[in-house]
Amino acid sequence: MHYNIIVVLRTSIRLIFFFKTYIFYLVVHLYYFCMLLKKNNIYKLQIMQFSDKNIVKITMPVLVSLLMEHMISLTDTAYLGRVGEVELGASALAGVYYLVIYMLGFGFSLGAQVLIARRNGEGEYHRIGEIFTQGTFFLLVFAAILFISSRFLSPMILVGIIKSKDVYNATLDYLDWRVYGFFFSFVTVMFRAFYVGTTNTKTLTANSIVMVGTNVVLNYILIFGKFGMPALGIKGAAIASVISEAVSVIFFFIYTYRRVDYKKYGMFVFGKFKWIELKQILSVSIWVMIQDGMTFVAWFMFFIAIEHLGERPLAITNIIRSISGFLFLFVNAFASTCSSLVSNLIGAGRADEVMPLCRKMIRLCYYLVLPIGILFAVFPSLIIGVYSDSQDLIEASIPSLWVMLSSYFIQIPSFIYFFSVSGTGNTKVALRLEIMSIVVYVAYTYYIARYLMADVAVCWTTDHVYFIMMLSSYIYMLKGNWRSKRI
């Protein structure tokens, strides 16, 4: 596929303008956010060492790293939106399908992160390296199993559930290359667990900048065929993502070896396989792995239901998913940080301060997310225009955008309390809460999208139902027996 260089340059300029404008807005917003904290003397309030100021200092690098990583998805969507609606829709299905498998490894790393944070809170730093090493060994073996399984089973699974042949073929083109990323992404998530668990989150920002910079450049070269390379389209997007993840792993190894006191944590001690250590990680992680896998299976079913409504609704859903993913970065950053801090507090014997910490996290997250959501709601065409230059597609996407944005009033407390449940180490309870929410979510999705064949904007109300069900995690944090949990 050959595209006029003017179209490509215009796409790049619009992306740069959008992020330049957003970064300026974010800087101004953060400035007034900090002034608000100072005005109300919140800097003086201490929850252990986790004042508002310290929470923001820990959370912001996580947020920036997630923001930079989201740009991988954003640039894929923005560039493929110029290739065609089939490729745009296929990248959505392939991306969620990949995430279903990827989240098994990510769920394992979250369990390892809880243990690392607990050992960090207890001051047993030398035991952190064992958790990291044994977890990395396990995930590399797991990546090999998932890689082989996906290569052979994906065509048989997808052929029966994707209606459009064009979308099916494009989805396989993406996955044929994307699955190589398991080996690199699974190592990356263990490094992320180490840095978040030890509250040393600044490293994540530098790593993300390197990874995203690599992906953006390779996307431009491989998707459109520049500098003598063939135009690979959706395959190019997959290859660019895999290479950028490999660069991320290299960066983490070099940075950790040169800039971190790895001997303090017992890092890079490659001894024999220790089943006892792995068993301890799995006792926490296995429930998170199942939980995350089920969550993204349910999300994949949502995309399949939308795909049956047509290629246009699927293209709209992919755009809204990318915008929602951008906002979710803020929620995810605060929720993930809260989970780590909860585990640190419990490890230090300060369980009574967990609920005040959760409330503080929710308030800080609202301060940042709501103004951005309002900005997106007021200027929907500008935001959606980043992903497509089709005016019809932009106009058709606006109602779905407004519905999606409204769900964040519920999502923020829902996710922060839910991640806090995992932070206590009670991941089996978190799984039960997730199962209950998913059952209702899937039933509602089937009724709205497959039975009523409702408009795509109405279908996005499924998020509201899911997050309302997830609020049950607050009841557990308020009245549950998590204080007596030992890991």
Side-chain angles (χ1 to χ4, degrees), residues 141 158 192 366 380:
V141 174
L158 295 174
R192 183 181 183 277
Y366 271 131

Side-chain angles (χ1 to χ4, degrees), residues 81-102:
R82 270 69 184 180
V83 176
E85 289 191 15
V86 169
E87 288 78 7
L88 184 60
S91 68
L93 287 176
V96 176
Y97 182 83
Y98 175 83
L99 282 173
V100 170
I101 305 172
Y102 163 82

Side-chain angles (χ1 to χ4, degrees), residues 9 117 239 283:
L9 288 175
I239 295 171
S283 68

Side-chain angles (χ1 to χ4, degrees), residues 18-19 22 63 67 70 74 321-331 372 376 387 408:
F18 173 76
F19 281 104
Y22 173 72
L63 173 59
L67 174 63
H70 178 70
L74 186 148
R321 175 190 70 91
S322 186
I323 298 173
S324 177
F326 176 79
L327 280 175
F328 180 68
L329 299 178
F330 293 85
V331 183
I372 298 170
F376 285 9
Y387 299 89
Y408 276 83

Side-chain angles (χ1 to χ4, degrees), residues 31-44:
Y31 172 78
Y32 284 107
F33 171 60
C34 293
M35 290 301 100
L36 177 64
L37 297 182
K38 187 174 181 180
K39 180 180 179 181
N40 289 282
N41 294 319
I42 298 177
Y43 280 131
K44 299 179 181 178

Side-chain angles (χ1 to χ4, degrees), residues 42 65 68 74 82 84 100 128 215 330 375 382 452 458 472:
I42 298 177
S65 71
M68 298 303 293
L74 186 148
R82 270 69 184 180
V100 170
I128 291 175
N215 186 77
F330 293 85
L375 179 70
L382 176 64
L452 295 182
V458 178
S472 57

